[in-house]
Short mmCIF file of all heavy atoms in Angstrom, two decimals:
data_model
loop_
_atom_site.label_atom_id
_atom_site.label_comp_id
_atom_site.label_asym_id
_atom_site.label_seq_id
_atom_site.Cartn_x
_atom_site.Cartn_y
_atom_site.Cartn_z
N ASP A 73 94.61 113.58 104.56
CA ASP A 73 93.64 114.07 105.64
C ASP A 73 92.39 113.16 105.83
O ASP A 73 91.90 113.18 106.80
CB ASP A 73 93.27 115.61 105.45
CG ASP A 73 92.52 115.94 104.18
OD1 ASP A 73 92.41 114.94 103.36
OD2 ASP A 73 92.36 117.10 103.87
N PHE A 101 94.69 116.56 100.02
CA PHE A 101 93.43 117.18 100.39
C PHE A 101 92.46 116.96 99.27
O PHE A 101 92.88 116.48 98.18
CB PHE A 101 93.62 118.77 100.44
CG PHE A 101 93.79 119.39 99.07
CD1 PHE A 101 92.79 119.78 98.28
CD2 PHE A 101 95.13 119.40 98.52
CE1 PHE A 101 92.96 120.24 97.00
CE2 PHE A 101 95.35 119.92 97.23
CZ PHE A 101 94.28 120.39 96.50
N ALA A 102 91.21 117.15 99.55
CA ALA A 102 90.10 117.15 98.49
C ALA A 102 88.93 116.43 98.95
O ALA A 102 87.83 116.61 98.46
CB ALA A 102 90.58 116.65 97.17
N LEU A 103 89.04 115.40 99.89
CA LEU A 103 87.79 114.71 100.34
C LEU A 103 87.27 115.24 101.65
O LEU A 103 87.75 114.96 102.69
CB LEU A 103 88.21 113.20 100.44
CG LEU A 103 88.62 112.55 99.10
CD1 LEU A 103 89.18 111.21 99.33
CD2 LEU A 103 87.47 112.47 98.09
N SER A 104 86.24 116.12 101.40
CA SER A 104 85.76 116.81 102.57
C SER A 104 84.57 116.03 103.19
O SER A 104 83.82 115.39 102.47
CB SER A 104 85.34 118.21 102.09
OG SER A 104 84.09 118.53 102.44
N ILE A 105 84.49 116.11 104.57
CA ILE A 105 83.36 115.45 105.26
C ILE A 105 82.27 116.41 105.57
O ILE A 105 82.48 117.33 106.31
CB ILE A 105 84.00 114.85 106.60
CG1 ILE A 105 85.12 113.85 106.24
CG2 ILE A 105 82.89 114.11 107.36
CD1 ILE A 105 85.93 113.45 107.40
N ILE A 114 82.80 114.62 100.04
CA ILE A 114 82.52 115.38 98.97
C ILE A 114 83.84 115.87 98.40
O ILE A 114 84.65 116.34 99.22
CB ILE A 114 81.64 116.67 99.25
CG1 ILE A 114 80.28 116.11 99.88
CG2 ILE A 114 81.44 117.66 98.14
CD1 ILE A 114 79.50 117.25 100.51
N VAL A 115 84.04 115.85 97.08
CA VAL A 115 85.32 116.34 96.48
C VAL A 115 85.26 117.83 96.46
O VAL A 115 84.41 118.51 95.85
CB VAL A 115 85.51 115.76 95.10
CG1 VAL A 115 86.88 116.28 94.56
CG2 VAL A 115 85.56 114.24 95.19
N ARG A 116 86.30 118.56 97.08
CA ARG A 116 86.41 119.95 97.07
C ARG A 116 87.82 120.30 96.52
O ARG A 116 88.89 119.90 97.03
CB ARG A 116 86.29 120.52 98.52
CG ARG A 116 84.85 120.30 99.07
CD ARG A 116 83.99 121.41 98.85
NE ARG A 116 84.48 122.83 99.15
CZ ARG A 116 84.18 123.47 100.22
NH1 ARG A 116 83.46 122.90 101.18
NH2 ARG A 116 84.66 124.68 100.50
N ASN A 117 87.90 121.17 95.54
CA ASN A 117 89.12 121.66 94.91
C ASN A 117 89.23 123.22 95.02
O ASN A 117 90.13 123.75 94.38
CB ASN A 117 89.38 121.24 93.54
CG ASN A 117 89.65 119.69 93.33
OD1 ASN A 117 89.78 119.38 92.15
ND2 ASN A 117 89.69 118.98 94.37
N ASP A 118 88.32 123.87 95.66
CA ASP A 118 88.24 125.33 95.67
C ASP A 118 89.21 125.95 96.71
O ASP A 118 89.69 125.20 97.63
CB ASP A 118 86.82 125.75 95.97
CG ASP A 118 86.32 125.17 97.20
OD1 ASP A 118 85.90 123.96 97.32
OD2 ASP A 118 86.39 125.94 98.22
N ALA A 119 89.68 127.21 96.41
CA ALA A 119 90.70 127.80 97.26
C ALA A 119 90.30 127.90 98.66
O ALA A 119 91.28 127.50 99.50
CB ALA A 119 90.83 129.26 96.66
N PRO A 120 89.18 128.29 99.14
CA PRO A 120 88.97 128.37 100.54
C PRO A 120 89.13 126.97 101.23
O PRO A 120 89.78 126.84 102.33
CB PRO A 120 87.53 128.82 100.78
CG PRO A 120 87.19 129.47 99.39
CD PRO A 120 88.05 128.80 98.38
N TYR A 121 88.65 125.90 100.53
CA TYR A 121 88.87 124.64 101.06
C TYR A 121 90.25 124.13 101.27
O TYR A 121 90.76 123.63 102.23
CB TYR A 121 88.02 123.59 100.28
CG TYR A 121 88.10 122.24 100.96
CD1 TYR A 121 87.48 121.78 102.03
CD2 TYR A 121 89.01 121.32 100.39
CE1 TYR A 121 87.64 120.67 102.76
CE2 TYR A 121 89.22 120.03 101.03
CZ TYR A 121 88.43 119.85 102.23
OH TYR A 121 88.61 118.58 102.87
N ILE A 122 90.97 124.40 100.20
CA ILE A 122 92.41 124.03 100.14
C ILE A 122 93.20 124.72 101.31
O ILE A 122 94.06 124.15 102.03
CB ILE A 122 93.07 124.35 98.80
CG1 ILE A 122 92.42 123.54 97.70
CG2 ILE A 122 94.62 123.99 98.81
CD1 ILE A 122 92.81 123.88 96.23
N ARG A 123 92.93 126.02 101.48
CA ARG A 123 93.62 126.78 102.47
C ARG A 123 93.28 126.26 103.82
O ARG A 123 94.14 126.15 104.71
CB ARG A 123 93.24 128.27 102.32
CG ARG A 123 93.80 128.85 101.06
CD ARG A 123 94.06 130.31 101.22
NE ARG A 123 95.10 130.71 100.21
CZ ARG A 123 96.43 130.65 100.40
NH1 ARG A 123 96.96 130.30 101.63
NH2 ARG A 123 97.24 130.99 99.51
N GLU A 124 92.03 125.94 104.10
CA GLU A 124 91.66 125.31 105.36
C GLU A 124 92.36 123.91 105.59
O GLU A 124 92.90 123.59 106.65
CB GLU A 124 90.19 125.12 105.30
CG GLU A 124 89.35 125.51 106.49
CD GLU A 124 87.88 125.33 106.14
OE1 GLU A 124 87.39 124.12 106.40
OE2 GLU A 124 87.22 126.27 105.70
N ALA A 125 92.30 123.15 104.51
CA ALA A 125 92.75 121.81 104.60
C ALA A 125 94.31 121.74 104.86
O ALA A 125 94.82 120.96 105.72
CB ALA A 125 92.51 121.04 103.28
N VAL A 126 95.08 122.72 104.22
CA VAL A 126 96.59 122.61 104.48
C VAL A 126 96.88 122.97 105.89
O VAL A 126 97.74 122.32 106.54
CB VAL A 126 97.32 123.44 103.43
CG1 VAL A 126 97.22 125.05 103.75
CG2 VAL A 126 98.81 123.04 103.47
N GLU A 127 96.15 124.03 106.37
CA GLU A 127 96.42 124.40 107.81
C GLU A 127 96.08 123.20 108.83
O GLU A 127 96.82 122.98 109.73
CB GLU A 127 95.62 125.60 108.15
CG GLU A 127 96.02 126.86 107.46
CD GLU A 127 97.44 127.30 107.56
OE1 GLU A 127 98.07 126.86 108.48
OE2 GLU A 127 97.97 128.03 106.67
N TYR A 141 102.47 117.68 98.52
CA TYR A 141 101.03 117.92 98.83
C TYR A 141 100.23 117.60 97.56
O TYR A 141 100.44 118.15 96.54
CB TYR A 141 100.82 119.35 99.36
CG TYR A 141 99.56 119.59 99.95
CD1 TYR A 141 99.08 118.64 100.95
CD2 TYR A 141 98.85 120.74 99.79
CE1 TYR A 141 97.85 118.95 101.67
CE2 TYR A 141 97.58 120.97 100.47
CZ TYR A 141 97.08 120.09 101.40
OH TYR A 141 96.03 120.34 102.14
#
Side-chain angles (χ1 to χ4, degrees):
D73 59 1
F101 71 90
L103 294 171
S104 127
I105 303 172
I114 297 173
V115 181
R116 295 269 309 264
N117 288 178
D118 55 283
Y121 181 74
I122 298 170
R123 293 211 154 270
E124 225 175 86
V126 74
E127 295 302 338
Y141 199 41

